[in-house]
Structures are given as structure tokens and as C-alpha cells.
Amino acid sequence: MLAAQERLRRARRALQAAESDAGLARPVSESARGFSRGDGVFHVSGGNGRILRALGEALPEGGWGGIIGLNDLGWEAAAKAGVDLSRILVIPRPMGDGAQVCSLLLEALDLVCADGELIAPPARRRLAALARSHRRILLTTTRWAGLSRPWRACAEPGAAKAIS
């Protein structure tokens, strides 16, 4: 009889192969591969230029992204940062619970970028777990203590051209 871990490893390989054959496998962006994990919560500081750069770097080719509560990002600058605007869902002012809107988008999209102030601290742990379990990237404009990591791809010299 196989050990439980070996059975789990085999089941994961079979599932990955089935997802790949069916076209369901989700690619991980090049910038995300530089991290120990390419999913989870990342905070981006430094204004709209860095947010757009992170969005352009993190969104997988052919992937879908969502933006919650971030107004006036500058869509021309987003396109110049490599963001395919036809694959972005924008919710400028979520009515009601911002965490619930974020949760719904994490279920369906590859990447969600949210104004961190819209998410109440009690909901942050649940959203971080959801992003990791679904292998999604959640970019936030504020640091979530103990939950988010800095988006280092934006801070590295030469990672991308400055966006004004």
C-alpha cells in the first residue's frame, strides 16, 4: 500500500495533466515565478504607476483581471504597461461589501487588484487563503500585516520603464 503522501502526489500529477489536456491549466506569469509562490497577496506601494506595472507583469497572457475601487488609474498608461484592457473587469465603486466583491472575482479571475482600504481587516485572512487555494494573485494598495508580501518586481531596477 502506498503512503498517503505518495498517493496525493500521484493524484495531483494526474489532475494537472487532466487540466492541461482540457486547456484549464492557468499559466503563472514570469514575474510571479521569481517568488517562492506565484500566488497570494502582494502589496504595491508607490502610486498608480507601480500598480499598473505590477498589473501588467502579473497578469498571465490570455488571463483575466479585475480592478476594484481604484479610480483614475490611467487606462492609456495601463495599455502601455502591457495590460490587455479587453480582459480587465473594472468595478470602480463596489456597493456594499468590498470583501465579498473581491471574493467573487478571486473565484473567477486570474488576478484581482483592489484598493486595500475597501477590505476590512477581519476579511483579509479569508481572502488571502482564497487567493492561495485558487492559485490567484491579489494585488492590494495597502500592506496587510502578516498576509501580504511586497511586489518586488516593481522595485527591481530595470524591471520596467517608469510610467508617468
XYZ file of all heavy atoms in Angstrom, residues 52 55 64-75 78 83-94 101 105 109 111 113:
246
model
N 0.018 49.821 -11.976
C -0.161 49.426 -13.375
C 0.960 48.511 -13.846
O 0.725 47.548 -14.577
C -0.251 50.661 -14.267
C -1.508 51.505 -14.083
C -1.419 52.764 -14.912
C -2.744 50.699 -14.427
N 0.344 45.128 -12.380
C -0.771 44.509 -13.088
C -0.314 43.954 -14.433
O -0.631 42.815 -14.791
C -1.884 45.541 -13.278
C -3.195 45.087 -13.883
C -3.866 44.044 -13.003
C -4.119 46.279 -14.074
N -7.450 36.802 -17.215
C -8.436 37.823 -16.902
C -8.096 38.467 -15.568
O -7.669 37.800 -14.637
C -9.829 37.202 -16.824
C -10.365 36.836 -18.163
C -10.174 35.657 -18.831
C -11.137 37.654 -19.028
N -10.782 35.699 -20.044
C -11.403 36.908 -20.195
C -11.648 38.948 -18.930
C -12.151 37.416 -21.249
C -12.401 39.439 -19.984
C -12.638 38.675 -21.127
N -8.305 39.777 -15.491
C -8.032 40.506 -14.269
C -9.205 41.371 -13.867
O -10.057 41.720 -14.689
N -9.236 41.717 -12.594
C -10.267 42.594 -12.077
C -9.655 43.701 -11.239
O -8.646 43.490 -10.571
N -10.263 44.861 -11.311
C -9.806 46.008 -10.536
C -10.996 46.502 -9.719
O -12.057 46.779 -10.280
C -9.266 47.124 -11.445
C -8.061 46.609 -12.232
C -8.919 48.358 -10.631
C -7.526 47.583 -13.248
N -10.802 46.605 -8.409
C -11.878 47.006 -7.511
C -11.492 48.291 -6.777
O -10.471 48.328 -6.087
C -12.154 45.914 -6.456
C -12.437 44.585 -7.115
C -13.301 46.321 -5.546
C -12.445 43.433 -6.132
N -12.304 49.317 -6.938
C -12.170 50.531 -6.143
C -10.997 51.422 -6.481
O -10.708 52.341 -5.727
N -10.327 51.183 -7.575
C -9.199 52.034 -7.962
C -9.645 52.909 -9.129
O -9.729 52.457 -10.271
C -7.987 51.194 -8.360
C -7.413 50.338 -7.239
C -6.333 49.415 -7.766
C -6.858 51.221 -6.145
N -9.934 54.141 -8.834
C -10.398 55.072 -9.853
C -9.218 55.830 -10.436
O -8.188 55.994 -9.797
C -11.401 56.057 -9.237
C -12.591 55.350 -8.637
O -13.084 54.385 -9.217
N -13.027 55.800 -7.480
N -9.384 56.293 -11.630
C -8.392 57.156 -12.275
C -7.007 56.523 -12.356
O -6.000 57.168 -12.079
C -8.299 58.507 -11.554
C -9.638 59.219 -11.495
O -10.392 59.111 -12.481
O -9.930 59.850 -10.472
N -6.949 55.250 -12.732
C -5.650 54.605 -12.889
C -4.903 55.120 -14.112
O -3.692 55.133 -14.124
C -5.803 53.086 -13.011
C -5.894 52.309 -11.727
C -6.042 50.827 -12.013
C -4.699 52.545 -10.847
N -5.620 55.499 -15.123
C -4.985 55.931 -16.357
C -4.922 54.772 -17.334
O -3.972 53.990 -17.320
N -5.955 54.641 -18.134
C -6.061 53.462 -18.996
C -5.060 53.472 -20.134
O -4.604 52.420 -20.571
C -7.498 53.315 -19.494
C -8.409 53.159 -18.313
C -9.361 54.024 -17.884
C -8.375 52.099 -17.355
N -9.936 53.552 -16.722
C -9.346 52.380 -16.378
C -7.611 50.944 -17.222
C -9.582 51.539 -15.295
C -7.850 50.109 -16.145
C -8.823 50.406 -15.198
N -2.055 52.120 -18.614
C -2.226 50.684 -18.395
C -1.919 49.910 -19.672
O -1.228 48.883 -19.647
C -3.645 50.383 -17.921
N -1.018 45.886 -20.237
C -2.290 45.343 -19.774
C -3.253 45.278 -20.959
O -3.495 46.281 -21.622
C -2.889 46.214 -18.652
C -4.229 45.685 -18.208
C -1.927 46.311 -17.478
N -3.781 44.097 -21.236
C -4.795 43.928 -22.275
C -6.123 44.367 -21.682
O -6.768 43.632 -20.935
C -4.846 42.461 -22.722
C -5.871 42.218 -23.815
O -6.570 43.178 -24.224
O -5.968 41.063 -24.263
N -6.543 45.579 -22.008
C -7.728 46.170 -21.388
C -9.010 45.422 -21.735
O -9.994 45.516 -20.999
C -7.849 47.639 -21.791
C -6.693 48.527 -21.346
C -6.902 49.962 -21.816
C -6.513 48.483 -19.846
N -8.997 44.655 -22.809
C -10.196 43.890 -23.162
C -10.402 42.703 -22.229
O -11.440 42.054 -22.267
C -10.106 43.405 -24.609
O -9.083 42.437 -24.748
N -9.419 42.418 -21.368
C -9.510 41.288 -20.453
C -9.515 41.740 -18.995
O -9.151 40.996 -18.100
C -8.351 40.326 -20.719
C -8.400 39.816 -22.173
C -7.395 38.777 -22.460
N -7.721 37.481 -21.924
C -8.591 36.618 -22.453
N -9.265 36.946 -23.518
N -8.796 35.452 -21.911
N -9.932 42.995 -18.774
C -9.971 43.570 -17.428
C -11.409 43.955 -17.093
O -12.078 44.648 -17.859
C -9.075 44.829 -17.327
C -7.627 44.495 -17.635
C -9.206 45.483 -15.957
C -6.955 43.601 -16.621
N -11.869 43.501 -15.937
C -13.176 43.868 -15.409
C -12.937 44.942 -14.347
O -12.150 44.729 -13.419
C -13.849 42.646 -14.784
C -15.160 42.874 -14.064
C -16.245 43.276 -15.060
C -15.570 41.624 -13.324
N -13.606 46.068 -14.475
C -13.401 47.194 -13.550
C -14.673 47.448 -12.754
O -15.752 47.604 -13.319
C -13.001 48.470 -14.317
C -12.800 49.629 -13.355
C -11.753 48.227 -15.133
N -14.522 47.475 -11.445
C -15.615 47.832 -10.541
C -15.122 49.046 -9.757
O -14.413 48.908 -8.758
C -15.977 46.658 -9.608
C -16.363 45.452 -10.459
C -17.094 47.064 -8.654
C -16.589 44.190 -9.684
N -15.447 50.251 -10.235
C -14.878 51.455 -9.626
C -15.322 51.695 -8.193
O -14.532 52.113 -7.361
C -15.336 52.588 -10.547
C -16.388 52.036 -11.415
C -16.302 50.549 -11.381
N -16.597 51.438 -7.886
C -17.116 51.652 -6.534
C -18.014 50.475 -6.180
O -19.206 50.489 -6.490
C -17.894 52.959 -6.460
C -17.027 54.194 -6.489
C -17.843 55.468 -6.516
N -18.670 55.619 -7.717
C -18.214 55.997 -8.901
N -16.942 56.265 -9.055
N -19.030 56.119 -9.934
N -17.464 49.465 -5.527
C -18.326 48.331 -5.172
C -19.358 48.755 -4.138
O -19.031 49.405 -3.155
C -17.352 47.303 -4.599
C -16.181 48.091 -4.144
C -16.099 49.295 -5.037
N -17.147 41.293 -2.978
C -16.870 41.510 -4.399
C -15.500 40.932 -4.748
O -15.348 40.231 -5.749
C -16.939 43.013 -4.748
C -16.482 43.265 -6.164
C -18.344 43.544 -4.531
N -14.581 37.811 -7.410
C -13.626 37.954 -8.511
C -12.472 36.960 -8.389
O -11.990 36.440 -9.399
C -13.102 39.386 -8.588
C -14.119 40.445 -8.996
C -13.451 41.800 -9.093
C -14.822 40.094 -10.280
N -11.345 35.023 -11.692
C -10.296 35.689 -12.469
C -8.906 35.263 -12.012
O -8.729 34.787 -10.901
C -10.443 37.212 -12.349
C -11.827 37.786 -12.704
C -11.845 39.285 -12.458
C -12.197 37.466 -14.128
N -6.291 37.340 -11.656
C -5.662 38.373 -10.848
C -6.715 39.388 -10.445
O -7.583 39.736 -11.250
C -4.563 39.063 -11.667
C -3.837 40.197 -10.974
C -2.382 40.165 -11.341
C -4.435 41.537 -11.342
N -6.922 43.203 -8.436
C -6.205 44.341 -7.859
C -7.241 45.187 -7.130
O -8.218 45.629 -7.735
C -5.534 45.137 -8.972
S -4.522 46.499 -8.385
